[in-house]
């Protein structure tokens, strides 16, 4: 059993790392344009943390991150990230606990799924609202996913370090 101070340290570490990635997104990644697309690192964060933290704690982190993203970003509708991120986290946790051991390949898989799910949900909202340009939105989703996946080389090692430094069953 971890003392409460270790739990506080662990979640403060995750929060600090997340703030670092928020800064990276707004200060650097938002200014990178490849074929008109910009990397979108936010879905990688709940997927990676949930892969390490499991089905109980991962979706809670994702829910909090979704609320923050909804307050800061423009989504297809209010509450979009608050709904999508916990679903991503639950999928990531199940994959990390039952199918693949948490590592680079697992993180690559769940991160690609997270990015595609976020884009897929945007497309679903577009379909339900009667909008068009679905093929264009699908190409944007795939392109954004391919452009964002190299960010895993920064996201995964930092979250893995935090998880390993404070790893224990509690």
């Amino acid at each position: 059993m971890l003392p409460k101070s270790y739990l506080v340290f662990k979640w403060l570490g995750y929060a600090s790392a997340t703030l670092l990635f928020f800064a990276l997104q707004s200060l650097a990644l938002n200014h990178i344009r490849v074929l008109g697309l910009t990397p979108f690192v936010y879905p990688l964060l709940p997927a990676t943390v949930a892969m390490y933290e499991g089905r109980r704690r991962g979706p809670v982190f994702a829910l909090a991150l979704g609320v923050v993203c909804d307050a800061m970003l423009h989504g297809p509708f209010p509450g979009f990230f608050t709904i999508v991120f916990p679903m991503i986290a639950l999928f990531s946790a199940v994959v990390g606990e039952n199918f693949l051991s948490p590592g680079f390949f697992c993180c690559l898989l769940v991160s690609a799924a997270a990015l595609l799910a976020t884009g897929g949900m945007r497309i679903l909202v577009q379909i339900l609202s009667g909008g068009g340009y679905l093929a264009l939105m699908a190409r944007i989703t795939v392109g954004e996913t391919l452009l964002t996946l190299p960010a895993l080389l920064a996201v995964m090692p930092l979250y893995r370090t935090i998880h390993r430094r404070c790893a224990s069953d509690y």
Side-chain angles (χ1 to χ4, degrees):
M1 182 69 102
L2 280 176
K4 290 185 187 208
S5 62
Y6 283 103
L7 294 176
V8 170
F9 175 74
K10 179 183 204 172
W11 291 105
L12 283 176
Y14 280 135
S16 300
T18 301
L19 286 175
L20 177 69
F21 292 121
F22 271 55
L24 177 70
Q25 177 73 47
S26 65
L27 297 175
L29 296 179
N30 282 346
H31 302 289
I32 296 173
R33 299 263 191 262
V34 176
L35 301 174
L37 300 174
T38 302
F40 187 63
V41 76
Y42 300 114
L44 301 179
L45 307 178
T48 305
V49 170
M51 178 188 71
Y52 288 121
E53 292 300 323
R55 286 180 286 201
R56 287 183 21 214
R57 294 173 295 275
V60 173
F61 174 83
L63 182 66
L65 182 63
V67 169
V68 171
C69 284
D70 279 327
M72 292 178 43
L73 305 171
H74 177 71
F77 60 87
F80 176 78
F81 296 108
T82 305
I83 294 169
V84 172
F85 283 0
M87 292 189 312
I88 289 169
L90 190 57
F91 171 78
S92 300
V94 168
V95 169
E97 289 177 343
N98 299 320
F99 299 107
L100 297 171
S101 61
F104 183 75
F105 181 70
C106 182
C107 191
L108 182 65
L109 177 76
V110 298
S111 295
L115 290 162
L116 292 172
T118 302
M121 291 297 287
R122 286 182 181 152
I123 292 170
L124 180 63
V125 169
Q126 188 74 11
I127 290 170
L128 293 176
S129 65
Y133 306 106
L134 301 178
L136 175 63
M137 290 182 69
R139 282 195 304 268
I140 289 171
T141 297
V142 170
E144 199 173 75
T145 298
L146 294 173
L147 188 59
T148 306
L149 283 176
L152 275 179
L153 298 175
V155 172
M156 188 198 155
L158 185 56
Y159 282 148
R160 181 183 60 213
T161 300
I162 295 166
H163 175 73
R164 285 187 178 169
R165 302 251 334 187
C166 301
S168 180
D169 293 328
Y170 59 93

